[in-house]
């Protein structure tokens, strides 16, 4: 057989093979994991805890509030407990002896918690005490201490806005008493097993970032208004990593944010400020870094 005939036979075979059909199955597994921030504390009505009331997706553009899948908001709890902060309870404070600089006989103070632990009221008792030029009454107000919990698979930021200032008594009559007389300092707890109520949390968590704009050392609430800081209020936390450090449950991967509020500005409360009540709303929102 000549070379031409061999080439012709090979060409016929190739054309036959080109027309052969093969059956194939194409499969393309695909998974998408969005950035998620879970916030828990008390429920939206501030009656039940612990409850997850914010499930935030970090899907919007950077610098925007996250997309919350749960209607309503998280309310804080009293630090170290699962008691909801309802905005009217006096049990959300921590206080102590109202007297400083006593001489001679000590000002022994006993808090009976009649109107709430840390609140000075008529059921408490105080012993006689000596007085000199430095003795003062600075503890008629106490710190308001509250917390909320966060678990995430991604970094997140937190912005805060202060508004709805409400005053009664002498504070209402004095226009100079305002948000600049309420201070806030923030801290967080992460990386170790802790217990709140009957719930263990934090063992599989890590520190997810740092506080911004001096909130770890303290700022006054007038800095958190939209007029001072912009439409989103003030950035109070700058996230760098997720809270989840290792495999664990939602509670185990949660960190606790603690807020401490004090009244009286940098110098603290003074008798010249008079008496009454003062309150404000502070709203913390999860933002996309």
């Amino acid at each position: 057989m000549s070379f031409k005939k061999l080439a012709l036979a090979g060409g016929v075979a190739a054309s036959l093979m080109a027309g052969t059909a093969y059956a194939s199955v194409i499969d393309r597994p695909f998974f998408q994991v969005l950035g998620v921030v879970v916030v828990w504390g008390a429920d939206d009505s501030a009656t039940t805890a612990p409850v997850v009331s914010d499930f935030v997706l970090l899907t919007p553009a950077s610098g925007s509030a996250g997309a919350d899948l749960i209607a309503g908001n998280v309310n804080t709890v009293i630090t170290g407990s699962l008691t909801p902060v309802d905005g009217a309870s006096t049990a959300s404070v921590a206080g102590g002896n109202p007297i400083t600089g006593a001489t001679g006989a000590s000002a022994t103070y006993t808090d009976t918690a009649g109107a709430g632990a840390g609140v000075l009221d008529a059921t408490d008792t105080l012993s006689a005490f000596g007085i000199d030029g430095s003795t003062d009454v600075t503890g008629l107000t106490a710190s308001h201490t509250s917390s909320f919990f966060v678990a995430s698979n991604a970094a997140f930021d937190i912005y805060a806005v202060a508004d709805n200032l409400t005053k009664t008594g002498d504070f209402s009559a004095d226009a100079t008493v305002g948000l600049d007389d309420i201070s806030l300092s923030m801290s967080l707890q992460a990386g170790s097993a802790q217990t709140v109520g009957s719930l263990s949390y934090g063992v599989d968590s890590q520190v997810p970032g740092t506080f911004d704009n001096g909130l770890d050392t303290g700022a006054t609430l007038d800095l958190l208004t939209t007029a001072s800081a912009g439409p989103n209020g003030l950035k109070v936390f700058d996230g760098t990593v997720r809270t989840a450090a290792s495999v664990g449950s939602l509670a185990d991967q949660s960190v606790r944010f603690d807020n401490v509020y004090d009244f009286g500005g940098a110098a603290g409360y003074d008798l010249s400020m008079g008496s009454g009540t003062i309150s404000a709303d502070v709203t913390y929102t999860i933002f996309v870094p």
Side-chain angles (χ1 to χ4, degrees), residues 26 186 268:
I26 306 300
M186 299 182 69

Side-chain angles (χ1 to χ4, degrees), residues 98-99 120 129 131 135-141 170-171 174 263-264 267-276:
I99 309 302
L120 184 68
F129 56 91
I131 181 175
T135 308
D136 207 351
V137 181
T138 58
L140 292 182
T141 64
D170 294 329
F171 306 148
D174 188 348
F263 175 61
Y269 170 79
D270 184 81
L271 291 179
S272 62
M273 298 177 71
S275 63

Side-chain angles (χ1 to χ4, degrees), residues 87-186:
S89 172
T90 56
S92 59
V93 298
N97 197 323
I99 309 302
T100 59
T103 67
S106 62
T108 302
Y109 171 69
T110 302
D111 183 1
T112 63
V119 179
L120 184 68
D121 60 52
T123 67
D124 299 342
T125 62
L126 181 67
S127 69
F129 56 91
I131 181 175
D132 65 11
S134 65
T135 308
D136 207 351
V137 181
T138 58
L140 292 182
T141 64
S143 298
H144 173 106
T145 62
S146 62
S147 300
F148 59 91
F149 302 81
V150 178
S152 77
N153 67 349
F156 58 91
D157 294 338
I158 300 177
Y159 281 70
V161 173
D163 57 13
N164 194 28
L165 178 68
T166 303
K167 304 185 292 182
T168 66
D170 294 329
F171 306 148
S172 180
D174 188 348
T176 65
V177 176
L179 291 175
D180 57 337
D181 291 297
I182 303 176
S183 65
L184 165 64
S185 60
M186 299 182 69

